[in-house]
Amino acid sequence: MLQGILHYAHYLLEGSIDKNETVIDATCGNGNDTLFLSNVVGKNGHVLAFDIQDDAIIATKQKLEENNRTNVSVIQDSHANLQAYIPTNEFLIGGAVFNLGYLPKSDKSIVTKGQSTINAINTILQYLKTSGLIVLVVYHGHEGGEEEKQIVLKHVMKLNQRKYHVLRYGFINQRNNPPFIIAIQKR
Ligand code: SAM
């Protein structure tokens, strides 16, 4: 069966992340992916969850509290500054997820941007475990979305194929700028 975009994103992450690992939610928003990752790594794993806006940080913390999660650090900062949260050179990231775009039902002018997304991807790739995945769900129908989509695509299409597998997955007969997935696997 073909899987919907969000199901497929979770399927990829679940299949590549192991218990007890440290993983990244680069755009935590309402905390749905954060909670999912928290389950996948288990209570001895760790999730670093980033977002820049107050609403997202509040919503994510609330979701984690409601679900009694203690294995997540919610960080109000841009994922472009991720390097500052890497404790040692030997640090290993088990996997990462990005949901590009704006927070639903919130300020539509606060959106992810191509250059900061690329900065974060590059930092994560340095510390990603072998066979680990970065999964990006690319929403691009909003203002600025097409520009970010092009910047990110151009960047990932140039990643060295000897080091990374890069996949694009999406439905090509849907209306209204359907989201798609970019998955980058470290070889
Ligand atoms: N995954 C989220 C969920 O489950 O609800 C939805 C994420 S939403 C599509 C995109 C989020 O990215 C917004 O909450 C926005 O504030 C955040 N964002 C925008 N630029 C960012 C940046 N530079 N660093 C981290 N988060 C950012």
Side-chain angles (χ1 to χ4, degrees), residues 17-18 22 30 35 45-47 53 61 71 81 99 104 122 127 131 133 149 170 174-175 179 182:
I17 293 169
D18 291 322
T22 298
N30 287 319
L35 184 60
H46 193 198
V47 185
Q53 64 172 310
K61 283 187 172 165
N71 62 349
N81 300 326
N99 271 240
N122 288 342
Y127 298 96
S131 299
L133 282 178
K149 172 183 140 186
Q174 289 179 351
R175 282 174 291 172
I182 297 170

Side-chain angles (χ1 to χ4, degrees), residues 9-49:
H10 284 190
Y11 166 82
L12 289 172
L13 291 162
E14 211 164 20
S16 58
I17 293 169
D18 291 322
K19 283 257 177 283
N20 306 335
E21 288 184 328
T22 298
V23 295
I24 310 279
D25 184 350
T27 56
C28 65
N30 287 319
N32 298 310
D33 289 332
T34 309
L35 184 60
F36 168 78
L37 290 174
S38 157
N39 283 330
V40 175
V41 295
K43 64 179 188 320
N44 295 321
H46 193 198
V47 185
L48 301 178

Side-chain angles (χ1 to χ4, degrees), residues 47-117:
V47 185
L48 301 178
F50 291 84
D51 208 292
I52 50 173
Q53 64 172 310
D54 294 347
D55 285 3
I57 298 297
I58 292 166
T60 298
K61 283 187 172 165
Q62 191 179 333
K63 182 154 284 164
L64 295 169
E65 257 174 51
E66 283 165 9
N67 289 277
N68 299 315
R69 293 309 141 136
T70 52
N71 62 349
V72 181
S73 300
V74 182
I75 300 166
Q76 186 161 16
D77 197 354
S78 169
H79 44 230
N81 300 326
L82 222 143
Q83 180 68 52
Y85 302 90
I86 305 284
T88 65
N89 286 343
E90 290 72 42
F91 191 68
L92 261 195
I93 294 173
V97 66
F98 291 70
N99 271 240
L100 304 184
Y102 62 86
L103 185 63
K105 298 186 192 143
S106 200
D107 185 347
K108 290 191 180 157
S109 70
I110 304 176
V111 293
T112 51
K113 300 266 170 61
Q115 192 52 53
S116 41
T117 300

